[in-house]
Structure formats: structure tokens, C-alpha cells
Amino acid sequence: MTAQPFSVDADPFPWPLEPLRPADCALVVIDMQRDFCGADGYVAQLGEDIAPLAACIPPTARCIAAARAAGMRVVFTRQGYRPDLADMPAWRRVKAARYGAIVGRPGPLGRVLVRGESGFQIVPELAPA
């Protein structure tokens, strides 16, 4: 099945001016990491209510499925740093410390926001294909 170009009816004119093809588009899924929205992650360990974060997992999964079915790319981003934190900007370090979220400290899923740790991974329900 070849995906057809599409446009959206809008006022004063349809968007985009030239129809988009799904193959020319991407769905970007941002920071849906276990440490942020997993029941076993760092944010949950802090005692925060992750229900609002976790609530976006099912609709995001539906968006991913629809995008893939339409022939769109799905791109995942993750926030994370090298194990030595050398790539973490100074402003981020200060901001994290101010709010008590010390990047790189031990968490329930490994060191918080460190690449390669379990908490850095995308939640299983949204795992990249």
C-alpha cells in the first residue's frame, strides 16, 4: 500500500500549500524514558505522582502505530549524558541541583539520566521498532 499525500482543510487556505506525503514526515517522541514516566523510575522514587506522565503512554502508542501504518518515520529522543557527565552543560547541573534532581546519582534503574542505564531507556510500551 502506498501512502497518499494529504492536506488539512483550514481557513484561509488548506495546509500545507503542497500536500504532504507521510514518507516526508516524522513523528517525534520526546523523552518517554523509564526514569521519567515508568512506575519503577526516578521520578516515581521521588514520591511524585507519575499518573499524569504515564497517562500519555497509551495515546502516544496509538500515535506511533498510526504513524508507522501511514509510512511515517518515528524518531525517539532521550535526555541523557555520558557516564562522566562531561557533556552536561553547567546550567543544567545547577538547575538539577536546585530542584534536588541530581543527574548521575544512583536511582532505582541505575544512575539517573546516564546513557546506557535502564532508566535512560524508552518505556517498554513505546519501544522503538
Side-chain angles (χ1 to χ4, degrees), residues 69-87:
M72 292 175 65
R73 287 180 196 92
V74 178
V75 177
F76 293 84
T77 70
R78 293 180 286 181
Q79 180 183 352
Y81 304 96
R82 293 180 3 188
D84 64 4
L85 305 179
D87 58 343

Side-chain angles (χ1 to χ4, degrees), residues 1-67:
M1 174 176 119
T2 303
Q4 300 297 313
F6 68 92
S7 66
V8 177
D9 288 334
D11 185 25
F13 47 80
W15 180 89
L17 294 176
E18 297 294 325
L20 291 173
R21 296 177 311 178
D24 295 332
C25 301
L27 172 67
V28 180
V29 180
I30 301 173
D31 296 351
M32 295 299 293
Q33 294 162 247
R34 291 179 67 195
D35 263 342
F36 293 145
C37 51
D40 55 353
Y42 177 68
V43 172
Q45 179 196 37
L46 290 175
E48 297 293 330
D49 179 11
I50 64 157
L53 300 170
C56 67
I57 293 172
T60 301
R62 290 191 299 275
C63 287
I64 291 169

